[in-house]
Amino acid sequence: MLDLNFVRDNLPLVEEKLRQRGMNPADVLKDFHALDTERRQAITQNETLQARRNRASEEIAKLKKSGQDATALIQETKDLREQIQTSEKKAADAEVRLREILTAIPNLPHASVPVGTSAEQNVEARRWGSPPQFDFKPKPHWELGEELGVLDLERAAKISGARFAVYWALGARLERALSNFMLDLHTRDHGYTEVLPPYMVNSESMYGTGQLPKFASDLFRVPHGEKDLWLIPTAEVPVTNLYRDEVLDAAGLPISLTAYTPCFRSEAGSYGKDVRGIIRQHQFQKVELVKFARPENSYDELEELTRNAEAVLQQLGLHYRVMTLCTADMGFSSAKTYDIEVWLPGQGLFREISSCSNFEAFQARRANIRYRPEGKNKTELVHTLNGSALAVGRTWVAILENYQQADGSIRIPEALQPYMGADKIPARST
RNA sequence: GGAGAGGUGGCCGAGUGGUUGAUGGCUCCGGUCUUGAAAACCGGCAUACCUGAAAGGGUAUCGGGGGUUCGAAUCCCUCCCUCUCCGCCA
């Protein structure tokens, strides 16, 4: 959420940034200006009435103390009460409508974000390694997984449905090895603290990180008594909300957390997209990095967080490129995003395996996460950042496709071998 | 699931209908003292919103919502959360 005063005072800038995102400012802002005025008038009127009532009440107290009659004044405040109830409702109404508009405004792209109209205009920031060379035609992971007996989509469909997967034997072990390897790397070498959060959260948390109210259809909702719980679409939600409504110790910033969790996404509206293999699933696992940073250096933290995610791919020897998302391709809450795309030789393309974003104060304002700068009495909103490091399922895919051998086996990269307890996934003997 | 206790400012903790936004302590900030620091002492310190050029003025907030009352941190209803005991349970 943007700051109300900021939007009011910088309307032309906000409109320009919305256009850069490919949106029509009029559709997003609607009658913001009129509503803003209406809201303030309603509040002023309401508070004027309340002030009158308060003065009368004080007067009544004085009269009663000195034993005088206060009947007339009491009657007056009774009348006032009805007027106040009306004006209160009017003010609350305007507040709600204005807030609806405000919460629907996406974050403004940072000045360093390339302006573009589609994903085509994302800018490659850098590229690491080189694609592996094959003297045979590399296969996609869904063929490899089936031939090796480590991936079972048929039975997953039977027990759950489309967009679910069952991993068998060394396939299951590879998932576990990857997640352990990533968590160890981030906690040991990159200074992150590991957390294991709940996989279901309440609506307030989904609101805090921006999934609600706009994107409910992307989520799995779990009815629970009067209220709903939601399956987390990313660890970003529970981990960022850890500090919702808190004032953080300035000396402790930045706070760097990592979490391995399953992620659940309804993928409504993506029918027919990525139907082969396990690229797009209702449930996948991910190691997430989350940072709470001071505003003045949050962009340095974004660079570091992105490098931390890249380190996973480097240690696994996987070729990748880093893309700076253009204004049109960024998520709703983000001010700047880097996507890391890993090379998948079986499909002959780069595929997103991580997305690292700085949300600046956008989430912190919604979730009310603040800190007190040294020497100041006022609190300030922190900046929140997060990125996948990495999406484990897609890393699993990258290992299979990049390390497939002519004999049908999969070589395990050295860094992963202690976690696998093996140097390859052998081809089936048949 | 049953019974009971409790939720007050960044933290701890008073306060049961009328200048209580709220005593006190801690933290933090400024100052005095000190070679420097600590200690001690003095002073300051909630948040949001409305209004105003500013100084200032105003309104709301004692877990959330609703009610009683001229007036609620204080009384009533309801929801949420925490703790203790019992039951059940991985």
Side-chain angles (χ1 to χ4, degrees):
Chain A
M1 184 168 70
L2 298 177
D3 179 60
L4 172 63
N5 294 312
F6 177 86
V7 176
R8 180 189 304 137
D9 297 339
N10 299 277
L11 221 43
L13 173 71
V14 173
E15 286 170 349
E16 172 58 21
K17 293 283 184 180
L18 288 176
R19 270 192 291 273
Q20 287 183 1
R21 270 185 176 268
M23 309 173 110
N24 180 357
D27 291 345
V28 180
L29 295 171
K30 295 179 183 149
D31 44 355
F32 171 87
H33 186 72
L35 257 180
D36 178 54
T37 309
E38 184 185 326
R39 168 181 167 272
R40 285 188 287 164
Q41 281 172 352
I43 288 174
T44 304
Q45 190 201 7
N46 180 46
E47 290 185 349
T48 307
L49 289 169
Q50 285 178 321
R52 264 164 65 189
R53 181 198 55 193
N54 288 347
R55 273 198 301 276
S57 278
E58 270 176 48
E59 207 50 42
I60 289 167
K62 275 183 203 161
L63 287 176
K64 288 209 162 178
K65 243 178 201 167
S66 60
Q68 290 175 273
D69 176 58
T71 320
L73 260 183
I74 288 176
Q75 185 55 46
E76 190 189 321
T77 51
K78 274 185 178 171
D79 297 341
L80 266 175
R81 187 148 66 122
E82 280 176 33
Q83 292 179 48
I84 287 170
Q85 275 169 356
T86 310
S87 68
E88 221 164 38
K89 196 178 172 312
K90 211 169 135 195
D93 242 49
E95 183 96 43
V96 166
R97 283 187 294 153
L98 188 66
R99 197 178 173 83
E100 262 169 29
I101 290 177
L102 206 58
T103 54
I105 302 175
N107 204 354
L108 305 182
H110 186 256
S112 66
V113 171
V115 177
T117 54
S118 78
E120 305 296 310
Q121 271 105 55
N122 293 344
V123 174
E124 183 172 320
R126 57 186 168 272
R127 191 178 280 235
W128 186 89
S130 53
Q133 298 304 308
F134 297 94
D135 48 16
F136 58 93
K137 188 174 183 297
K139 296 174 177 173
H141 68 277
W142 52 87
E143 285 178 22
L144 294 165
E146 194 183 333
E147 288 167 12
L148 293 161
V150 296
L151 181 64
D152 186 350
L153 297 177
E154 221 169 287
R155 288 197 179 89
K158 175 173 70 182
I159 61 175
S160 296
R163 293 209 191 282
F164 286 95
V166 175
Y167 302 81
W168 289 90
L170 284 176
R173 183 160 185 124
L174 178 57
E175 165 87 19
R176 180 156 57 92
L178 283 168
S179 57
N180 282 340
F181 164 68
M182 292 179 198
L183 285 170
D184 281 351
L185 178 67
H186 298 312
T187 54
R188 244 181 350 223
D189 298 352
H190 299 154
Y192 290 77
T193 300
E194 184 175 350
V195 292
L196 198 161
Y199 303 155
M200 291 193 276
V201 298
N202 55 33
S203 300
E204 288 78 7
S205 295
M206 285 296 183
Y207 180 87
T209 31
Q211 281 75 20
L212 291 179
K214 260 198 106 174
F215 304 102
S217 62
D218 296 339
L219 304 169
F220 283 105
R221 183 173 59 87
V222 183
H224 181 247
E226 297 291 302
K227 287 187 169 181
D228 292 332
L229 288 173
W230 306 81
L231 293 179
I232 58 171
T234 159
E236 160 193 350
V237 177
V239 176
T240 303
N241 277 284
L242 283 174
Y243 294 120
R244 175 149 50 85
D245 293 320
E246 291 192 27
V247 177
L248 303 176
D249 179 19
L253 296 177
I255 295 172
S256 303
L257 304 177
T258 182
Y260 168 71
T261 73
C263 306
F264 302 92
R265 301 187 180 179
S266 80
E267 295 296 344
S270 66
Y271 306 114
K273 214 171 166 186
D274 305 318
V275 288
R276 307 297 305 274
I278 57 164
I279 288 297
R280 191 174 298 275
Q281 298 278 286
H282 285 312
Q283 177 193 325
F284 63 96
Q285 281 71 239
K286 187 153 65 70
V287 170
E288 186 78 359
L289 304 177
V290 175
K291 277 177 183 275
F292 302 83
R294 295 166 189 271
E296 61 267 25
N297 61 11
S298 67
Y299 279 93
D300 296 335
E301 296 292 342
L302 175 63
E303 295 302 319
E304 191 186 314
L305 187 146
T306 307
R307 298 284 180 181
N308 294 154
E310 288 175 61
V312 177
L313 290 168
Q314 290 175 9
Q315 295 213 9
L316 294 175
L318 293 168
H319 177 49
Y320 69 86
R321 64 181 187 182
V322 177
M323 307 296 288
T324 308
L325 296 197
C326 75
T327 48
D329 202 29
M330 286 198 311
F332 178 78
S333 303
S334 176
K336 183 173 188 176
T337 297
Y338 292 115
D339 271 9
I340 303 174
E341 298 179 343
V342 70
W343 175 249
L344 297 181
Q347 301 164 59
L349 47 74
F350 281 103
R351 172 60 86 161
E352 176 189 342
I353 198 167
S354 170
S355 192
C356 303
S357 302
N358 185 358
F359 302 91
E360 298 190 359
F362 192 85
Q363 292 180 328
R365 187 171 294 109
R366 287 177 164 234
N368 191 27
I369 307 171
R370 299 164 293 158
Y371 78 108
R372 197 181 305 275
E374 289 89 344
K376 289 196 181 169
N377 272 326
K378 264 206 166 313
T379 56
E380 274 180 34
L381 296 166
V382 300
H383 281 190
T384 60
L385 304 90
N386 68 55
S388 13
L390 302 164
V392 179
R394 288 186 180 181
T395 311
W396 191 98
V397 166
I399 297 280
L400 258 68
E401 293 198 9
N402 280 278
Y403 286 103
Q404 54 184 304
Q405 307 296 305
D407 67 0
S409 68
I410 308 293
R411 188 163 66 81
I412 300 300
E414 211 169 309
L416 209 53
Q417 287 177 12
Y419 294 93
M420 273 299 272
D423 58 5
K424 66 174 182 178
I425 300 176
R428 285 219 237 174
S429 48
T430 47

